[in-house]
Structures are given as structure tokens and as C-alpha cells.
Amino acid sequence: MLNAVGVLGLGGLVGTVALGLGTTPPDQVQGELVRMIYIHPPLAWTAYLAFAVTGLFSALYLWKRQPRSDQIAASSAEVGVVLCTLTLVTGSLWGRPTWGVWWTWDARLTTTALLLALFAGYLALRRVVVDPVARAKRSAVLALVAVADIPLVHFSVKLWRTLHQQPTLLRPDPQIAGIQAWTLLLGFASLTLLYVWLTGRRARLEALVHLDESRALELAVASR
Amino acid sequence: MLREAFVVAAKDLRIEARSHVGRTQVVPFALVVVVLFGLALDPDRGLLTRAAPGLLWVTVLLTALLATQRSLALESADRAVDQLRVSGIDPAAVFLGKAAALSVQLLVVVTALAVGVVVLYGAVLASPLLLIASALVATAGLALAGTLYGAVAAGLRVRETLVPLLVLPVVAPVLLGATRAWEAGVGLAVSDGWPWLRLLVAFMVVFAAAGVMAFGPLLEDA
């Protein structure tokens, strides 16, 4: 089941690349540069989704205290950090020719960068706490506080300055249509599937590590 | 609960007052940073005066990290946290008390720094009410976030390096809000400073609520 999701995601990604680089026409204003739209917004969406899932399962962990929730939260954060880094890299590559700068202190850029820093901290914390229960509890609190902090960060930077282009697709009169819109949607769908696949695989691995740890403890107790 | 919080805050402040670390190390550290900024940026007064609010609040942030580490060390030394835990004091009160004590220390630092930037950078404290209100709320926000993250990292060997990594990105809104409010307060910005105060209040409320809810579970295995 999970592998089917992975195959679909990878296939969709190949399709997105083929359509995005080949079939779709260049843009009137941006020319060939518009092709970044098929990869950058889907990456950003999956990164935000990943962190939202981490927040959700962290809350679930604090409520029910099931190791499974913690494993999913951690896996989602790991995948999210990778996706968020890719978002910033592709955005930077796109920004240089279109805006003339690699980086600008825009609300969304700054929020995304701080989001990456917050979850990099989350992963750093997970690495140094050894006891699984303490690790789960502390990192769940950390993830929830990070999620609560995001609106404050976003609002503060927005009050400060904004340059990023406004949404293209999700608005009453979409600014994109035809094959371009379908390619973009395919990009969103395949990256979401890839995210689910990667997180699922990672969570399974985490569950196995957990199992291994508890077995090792049992063996150690039995051998005494 | 407030009375218990007050007891915890008084305990922390009493220890700080008797150890003299705040007065002889933390405040001088903050002032040294202010002098160093003067060396790093051209001592051309125009630049320093314009950057004064930002430099002041970056310094407060750095000092807050030191003060947070101090506040944590009080509990981890001799496992004092165990006594706190079995004392029957509500964990939420412990959180609020420790944050209040930290906040008072940070306010002292802000006051010293304000004098520093007036004297060294030539800043003018144009609207004191805005400056005082934003300093109160911003230091409270910093103290709450620092105390909460301190508990998250409590008892870890790598605490000294981990706490800054965790705290600094989170308090970015405080840096932004307090700096903009102070820019308006020292008459540098044409824009209104009060919307930034609302942001600082929102930050403070979010972190107070988060800490009150999370401190119990965190204290269990601190």
C-alpha cells in the first residue's frame, strides 16, 4: 500500500518534470523561468504540510502518550526539514533571475527560513535526549510551541514587509489555466504522495528501532 | 497559584541578589557588547543612532540566553529541582515564578542598556511610555520563552549550546516587535509603534499559556 503511494508519487514527479520542462509553454512575462512554478510551490506546500503533521501528532502524543504518534511526528519533521530546505533553495534559484536577488526579507521567505530553524532545533533536541519517553514528551512540547510561534512570526514579518507574489492558483480567479494548471496540480499531487511515502517509510524504520531498543532491554534483563 | 509563583520568583531573585552574578557579570557583559557594536560599526554617530534600537534588543537577546542558563543552573545544581517538584507547588506557578524573576533581571539589563545607548550612541528617548510598555512586555515574552525552553533542555549535557539554537528562532517576533516599537519610541520611525506592542502582548500570552500547560509534564523528568 505504502509502496504503491511511492510508485505513484515518483511516476507523478517524472510526469511533472516532463510536462514542466517539455510540453508546457513559456510564460509571457517570465519566459522559461516560469517552469520553476511546477516544483517550488509544491515543495513549499509539502514542507508546510509536514510540519503541520508533526504538530498534529505531537498534540496527539501528549494526549494519548502512544509511541506511534511520536514516531510519526519525528519522521514527518525530518522529511519536512528536507522539503523546507529544498523550498528555500529552489526559491532562491528562482528569485535570482526574476527579482534580481538570491534572498529578500519578505514575509513568506523569512517565515519559511525561521520555520526551518525551528524544526532543525527540534531534530537537534531529538538527537540528544536518550530516554525515549522523555524525548517524545519534550520534542512534542517543542513542536507544539514551534507551531504556535509560526503565526506570530508570519504576522510580525508581514507587518514588517512583503514582496512575494500572491497566490496563483488558490484564489477565486486562478491566474493559471490549461496544461500549465494541470502540470502544477500534478506537481502538488506527486510531491504530496512522495511526502506520505517517505514519512511512512521513516516512521516504520523508527518503529523498528523502538522495537529493537525494547528487545535489547528484555534480552539484557533476561541474561542477568 | 499567584502566591506560589511569587514565592518562586522571590527565591530566584534572592539567589541572584546574593550571588552578585547578575550585577557583576551579566549587566557588564551587556554593556561590553554595546561598546563592541560601537567599535564594529563606524563610530559615525548617524549609523549608531539609527541602529541603536536593533543593537539594544539583539544585546538583550544575547543577555537573555545567559540569564536563562543561570536560571536553569539554579535548579540543576544539587538537583534542587527535585525539591521543587516534591514541594507541592503547582508546576504552572514554578514556571510563572521563574519567568517573572528572569523578566525582572532582563528589565534591569534593558534599563542599563538604554542608558548605554543614550550615552554612547546618542539616542533620544522621545516617548517614554511606549518604550517602557514595550520593554515590559518584550522582556516578559523573552523570559517566558527562555524558561519554557530551559525546561525542554533541562538536564541535558549539551544544554549550553542547545538552548540558544532552540530559543533564538522562536523569539524572532520579540526582536522584531521590540525593535520596531523602540524605533518609534526613540523617534526614528515615522510609523506608529503601538501595533508592535500588540504583537509583543500576543507573544507573551501564547508563551505564558504554553508554559502553564507544558511545564507539568516537562518537570516530571527534568
Side-chain angles (χ1 to χ4, degrees):
Chain A
M1 176 60 200
L2 190 59
N3 284 330
V5 172
V7 170
L8 271 177
L10 285 173
L13 193 65
V14 172
T16 310
V17 171
L19 288 172
L21 290 180
T23 316
T24 52
D27 185 58
Q28 264 189 346
V29 184
Q30 293 204 7
E32 302 292 342
L33 293 173
V34 77
R35 300 186 192 283
M36 282 300 263
I37 203 176
Y38 306 119
I39 196 72
H40 174 70
L43 277 173
W45 144 253
T46 36
Y48 297 151
L49 175 71
F51 295 141
V53 167
T54 299
L56 194 69
F57 278 90
S58 298
L60 206 60
Y61 176 80
L62 288 179
W63 184 30
K64 300 270 189 184
R65 300 283 168 107
Q66 286 166 336
R68 185 103 190 102
S69 310
D70 174 58
Q71 289 155 10
I72 295 174
S75 310
S76 188
E78 276 186 18
V79 179
V81 164
V82 173
L83 291 168
C84 196
T85 310
L86 287 174
T87 304
L88 289 173
V89 171
T90 53
S92 194
L93 290 177
W94 198 6
R96 176 67 196 172
T98 47
W99 295 339
V101 286
W102 296 107
W103 180 261
T104 174
W105 295 97
D106 165 79
R108 272 194 240 184
L109 274 73
T110 313
T111 307
T112 308
L114 284 170
L115 195 58
L116 180 63
L118 287 173
F119 279 90
Y122 172 88
L123 294 185
L125 177 74
R126 291 198 69 93
R127 273 183 173 272
V128 294
V129 187
V130 181
D131 175 48
V133 177
R135 178 176 59 208
K137 216 185 305 177
R138 291 177 185 209
S139 45
V141 169
L142 194 70
L144 282 180
V145 173
V147 169
D149 195 47
I150 304 301
L152 291 169
V153 171
H154 187 75
F155 177 74
S156 65
V157 192
K158 203 170 171 182
L159 198 58
W160 188 35
R161 48 180 54 193
T162 281
L163 169 76
H164 196 287
Q165 78 181 61
Q166 294 307 306
T168 310
L169 194 64
L170 294 175
R171 49 192 271 176
D173 54 330
Q175 298 294 295
I176 188 167
I179 184 73
Q180 291 175 306
W182 289 112
T183 309
L184 182 55
L185 279 178
L186 182 64
F188 272 103
S190 38
L191 269 166
T192 309
L193 290 174
L194 280 177
Y195 156 73
V196 172
W197 179 56
L198 286 170
T199 306
R201 297 291 302 192
R202 183 68 186 85
R204 194 172 286 176
L205 180 64
E206 193 65 30
L208 288 174
V209 169
H210 182 74
L211 196 67
D212 188 44
E213 276 168 0
S214 45
R215 284 238 179 96
L217 186 70
E218 275 170 28
L219 284 175
V221 170
S223 70
R224 285 186 70 86
Chain B
M1 189 176 88
L2 281 180
R3 220 183 59 81
E4 288 173 344
F6 185 77
V7 170
V8 173
K11 170 202 73 112
D12 271 20
L13 286 174
R14 204 153 48 232
I15 296 175
E16 265 326 309
R18 288 182 188 163
S19 74
H20 301 294
V21 171
R23 186 166 52 79
T24 58
Q25 290 174 22
V26 177
V27 171
F29 164 80
L31 290 174
V32 167
V33 175
V34 169
V35 173
L36 286 183
F37 275 133
L39 302 181
L41 303 177
D42 205 310
D44 156 30
R45 285 203 152 195
L47 183 57
L48 274 179
T49 315
R50 263 180 291 134
L55 297 179
L56 182 139
W57 281 100
V58 168
T59 313
V60 174
L61 238 59
L62 297 177
T63 316
L65 292 178
L66 290 184
T68 303
Q69 303 279 14
R70 286 275 313 151
S71 157
L72 293 173
L74 292 185
E75 306 306 338
S76 63
D78 306 325
R79 297 295 301 163
V81 66
D82 288 337
Q83 299 192 16
L84 209 54
R85 200 160 35 195
V86 296
S87 65
I89 296 178
D90 187 351
V94 174
F95 169 70
L96 292 177
K98 287 196 77 69
L102 196 53
S103 182
V104 170
Q105 296 171 48
L106 289 179
L107 270 178
V108 172
V109 172
V110 173
T111 313
L113 286 175
V115 174
V117 296
V118 167
V119 173
L120 295 172
Y121 300 176
V124 184
L125 307 181
S127 47
L129 191 62
L130 176 62
L131 292 174
I132 292 171
S134 51
L136 278 171
V137 183
T139 50
L142 286 178
L144 289 162
T147 308
L148 177 58
Y149 276 73
V152 167
L156 299 176
R157 265 183 304 113
V158 291
R159 199 181 62 201
E160 285 83 1
T161 42
L162 187 63
V163 168
L165 171 66
L166 298 182
V167 170
L168 287 179
V170 170
V171 296
V174 176
L175 176 64
L176 202 49
T179 304
R180 299 302 148 229
W182 271 54
E183 273 178 0
V186 297
L188 283 170
V190 279
S191 64
D192 190 9
W194 295 100
W196 291 106
L197 190 67
R198 282 207 294 275
L199 171 81
L200 291 172
V201 171
F203 184 93
M204 184 182 74
V205 170
V206 166
F207 274 84
V212 164
M213 284 189 289
F215 220 67
L218 286 175
L219 215 57
E220 280 166 25
D221 55 8

